Amino acid sequence: MLLIAGLCFVSCTKQQARKPISQSSGSFINESIERNKVLIAEEEATIDKFIKNDSLNQYISSPKGYWYSYNTKVDEATSTPIRGDIAYFDYELKSLDGKIIYTKAELKPQTYYVDKENVLMGLRDGIKIMKKGEEITFLFPSHIGYGYHGDNDKIGTNEPLLCTVTLNEIKKDTSNK
């Protein structure tokens, strides 16, 4: 009986919250930011070297952090895809040393509802600068490609990509997607 009364007393007393054993100073976040800055700078230096060694193509720097070169350019004043349009395209992915990672056949023709579906981050913007019939080679740093994780298959961690895209068709979305 005394034991039951003791347990009731102990369980009814108000317990104070435990204090953390250690406090974080935010150093992990700061170190992570610094590591990412170094990684991005290294990738940009690699891409810059690639561009300098590719004397056959002229690359344009985009405000979104990637570079691109026209393989086939359409000079007519035609439209580019906008939010809600459906873009039909083919693409292939290579490493910066030119090794094919995924062929167009492996990736199959793509149907993309512009800005309404998830695709490779760099392609979200890259598709919107293209006209029907154009083929563009994009150089994507890993942070707008597959990032730290890669694709868990053929694309490794923090791997910059060479992505060649052909925009086959642009249509207005007539469904209520």
Side-chain angles (χ1 to χ4, degrees):
M1 185 75 151
L2 192 56
L3 179 63
I4 295 175
L7 287 175
C8 286
F9 176 74
V10 169
S11 64
C12 293
T13 61
K14 194 170 187 174
Q15 292 183 345
Q16 291 187 3
R18 296 180 354 191
K19 296 184 183 198
I21 295 172
S22 65
Q23 295 181 353
S24 174
S25 65
S27 64
F28 174 78
I29 299 287
N30 293 335
E31 289 170 9
S32 179
I33 290 169
E34 290 307 312
R35 277 192 308 271
N36 285 331
K37 285 180 182 179
V38 168
L39 175 69
I40 290 169
E42 288 173 354
E43 284 186 21
E44 287 180 353
T46 302
I47 290 171
D48 189 47
K49 182 178 177 184
F50 176 89
I51 290 170
K52 286 178 181 173
N53 289 335
D54 185 0
S55 59
L56 299 177
N57 295 299
Q58 179 182 350
Y59 288 88
I60 301 163
S61 176
S62 84
K64 299 287 185 171
Y66 60 87
W67 295 260
Y68 61 98
S69 176
Y70 286 92
N71 302 332
T72 305
K73 184 170 176 58
V74 173
D75 291 322
E76 298 171 27
T78 58
S79 64
T80 58
I82 59 170
R83 180 178 172 79
D85 286 350
I86 306 168
Y88 298 89
F89 67 96
D90 295 300
Y91 73 115
E92 81 174 1
L93 292 172
K94 295 180 182 178
S95 60
L96 289 187
D97 62 6
K99 292 180 184 161
I100 294 176
I101 299 171
Y102 291 109
T103 65
K104 285 184 179 184
E106 287 177 291
L107 295 172
K108 300 178 183 160
Q110 300 287 309
T111 301
Y112 169 55
Y113 288 79
V114 178
D115 289 341
K116 291 186 174 186
E117 292 181 302
N118 285 329
V119 295
L120 184 67
M121 188 186 304
L123 280 179
R124 287 182 211 157
D125 188 67
I127 290 288
K128 292 188 281 188
I129 68 169
M130 297 182 74
K131 297 176 184 175
K132 177 183 172 182
E134 287 186 328
E135 182 179 83
I136 295 179
T137 297
F138 296 96
L139 298 171
F140 295 134
S142 66
H143 65 276
I144 58 175
Y146 282 89
Y148 174 72
H149 293 288
D151 72 342
N152 297 320
D153 191 10
K154 294 182 180 181
I155 299 172
T157 61
N158 300 317
E159 186 171 350
L161 298 169
L162 189 70
C163 180
T164 302
V165 181
T166 304
L167 184 58
N168 301 314
E169 187 67 55
I170 304 168
K171 291 187 178 178
K172 298 291 179 198
D173 181 12
T174 56
S175 71
N176 291 326
K177 186 172 182 180

